[in-house]
Amino acid sequence: GDSVTQMEGPVTLSEEAFLTINCTYTATGYPSLFWYVQYPGEGLQLLLKATKADDKGSNKGFEATYRKETTSFHLEKGSVQVSDSAVYFCALSAPITSGSRLTFGEGTQLTVNP
Amino acid sequence: EPEVTQTPSHQVTQMGQEVILRCVPISNHLYFYWYRQILGQKVEFLVSFYNNEISEKSEIFDDQFSVERPDGSNFTLKIRSTKLEDSAMYFCASSGVPGQGLLVSSEAFFGQGTRLTVV
C-alpha cells in the first residue's frame, strides 16, 4: 500500500539556519503530495502541495519539489524563524481524485531557537 | 476564514463507555473525514464520507466505530464501547467544493482535534 517516510526528528536549529526535512514516498501511479504543519495547540494546516512531477509547491518561504525519479518531496526553507517551530507532516493522496484519503508520514518536530 | 470546528477539545471516558466526537465541517464542502493520531505515532485515516454514506474506511474502522451526518452541519464519530487503545487525538477534516469536479485533488481542512483519553 501507499506509504510516506520522513526523516527522524526532532530537529533543532538556530534562527536563520537552512532547513531540510526529507520525505520519500511509495505509491502506485502519481499521487498528489502535501506538507502539513501543526503549530502547538492547533490542528493540521496545509503548508504547500504539488500534484504532478516537477511541480514546486511554495508558501511562507517553504518549498518542496515533486521528484518522481527519486520518489521524494523534501521540504526546504532558506532561513527559519522562531515562529516556524511546529510539527511538519508529509502526506500523499491518490492521483487526481477528490475525496481521497491522506497517508501521512511520522511527522518531524522542528524547534527554532533565537 | 471558514474553519472546521471540533468539540470537545478534550474528553475523558471510562473503558466500555460510548463516546461521540463532534465536528462542524466547512459549510459548502462535500467530503468529510476522520483521522486519529495515537501519541507519538502517525496520523492515520479512519473513514471518509460523501453523499451521506461512507466512501472509504480503513482497517481500524471496525464495528465499534460509526459516523453520521445527522443534520446539514454536524458530522459525528461514535465509538460504541471504548478501549484503552482508543486513546488518541481525533481529527475531523473536510474538502471538496461543488463545481470543482471530482477529478481534482483538493485541500483538506482540518479541525484542531479532540483528545480522547480512555481510563
Side-chain angles (χ1 to χ4, degrees):
Chain A
D2 297 347
S3 67
V4 175
T5 302
Q6 286 181 235
M7 66 183 291
E8 291 186 13
V11 174
T12 302
L13 296 172
S14 297
E15 206 164 22
E16 299 183 4
F18 184 84
L19 168 71
T20 299
I21 301 177
N22 289 337
C23 171
T24 57
Y25 67 89
T26 303
T28 53
Y30 301 97
S32 295
L33 301 174
F34 306 84
W35 277 99
Y36 278 83
V37 59
Q38 185 178 28
Y39 297 104
E42 299 186 14
L44 297 165
Q45 302 174 26
L46 180 66
L47 181 60
L48 53 85
K49 71 176 185 180
T51 57
K52 61 182 188 297
D54 300 324
D55 266 2
K56 178 186 283 188
S58 61
N59 186 26
K60 300 181 182 179
F62 290 89
E63 292 183 341
T65 301
Y66 190 137
R67 300 285 188 203
K68 175 174 168 289
E69 64 276 12
T70 55
T71 61
S72 65
F73 193 55
H74 304 320
L75 183 69
E76 296 182 336
K77 186 174 185 181
S79 176
V80 294
Q81 306 300 312
V82 172
S83 56
D84 294 327
S85 298
V87 182
Y88 292 82
F89 294 91
C90 186
L92 66 80
S93 70
I96 60 165
T97 304
S98 197
S100 300
R101 66 160 75 182
L102 286 163
T103 299
F104 285 89
E106 301 89 341
T108 301
Q109 172 79 56
L110 170 66
T111 302
V112 181
N113 295 319
Chain B
E1 185 175 325
E3 60 180 12
V4 176
T5 57
Q6 290 185 243
T7 54
S9 57
H10 190 189
Q11 172 127 21
V12 181
T13 189
Q14 289 203 323
M15 191 169 54
Q17 294 296 304
E18 176 183 285
V19 65
I20 297 175
L21 309 183
R22 302 181 190 279
C23 170
V24 179
I26 294 173
S27 61
N28 64 340
H29 279 184
L30 301 175
Y31 298 90
F32 314 113
Y33 316 83
W34 285 100
Y35 291 81
R36 79 171 186 191
Q37 184 182 29
I38 296 171
L39 188 62
Q41 297 186 24
K42 290 187 182 188
V43 177
E44 302 171 292
F45 169 79
L46 293 178
V47 65
S48 60
F49 193 85
Y50 171 72
N51 201 25
N52 286 318
E53 61 183 21
I54 291 173
S55 54
E56 188 181 5
K57 61 183 181 180
S58 71
E59 58 278 4
I60 302 168
F61 195 87
D62 61 22
D63 292 343
Q64 296 283 33
F65 292 90
S66 62
V67 289
E68 194 177 33
R69 187 153 164 83
D71 53 40
S73 60
N74 291 285
F75 180 52
T76 61
L77 175 69
K78 181 192 292 186
I79 308 175
R80 211 178 322 277
S81 176
T82 50
K83 303 187 284 285
L84 294 177
E85 54 266 36
D86 294 327
S87 295
M89 180 73 89
Y90 288 80
F91 292 105
C92 174
S94 67
S95 72
V97 177
Q100 188 175 37
L102 293 180
L103 296 181
V104 175
S105 185
S106 62
E107 175 185 352
F109 289 80
F110 283 78
Q112 293 188 328
T114 294
R115 181 167 298 284
L116 176 66
T117 303
V118 182
V119 297

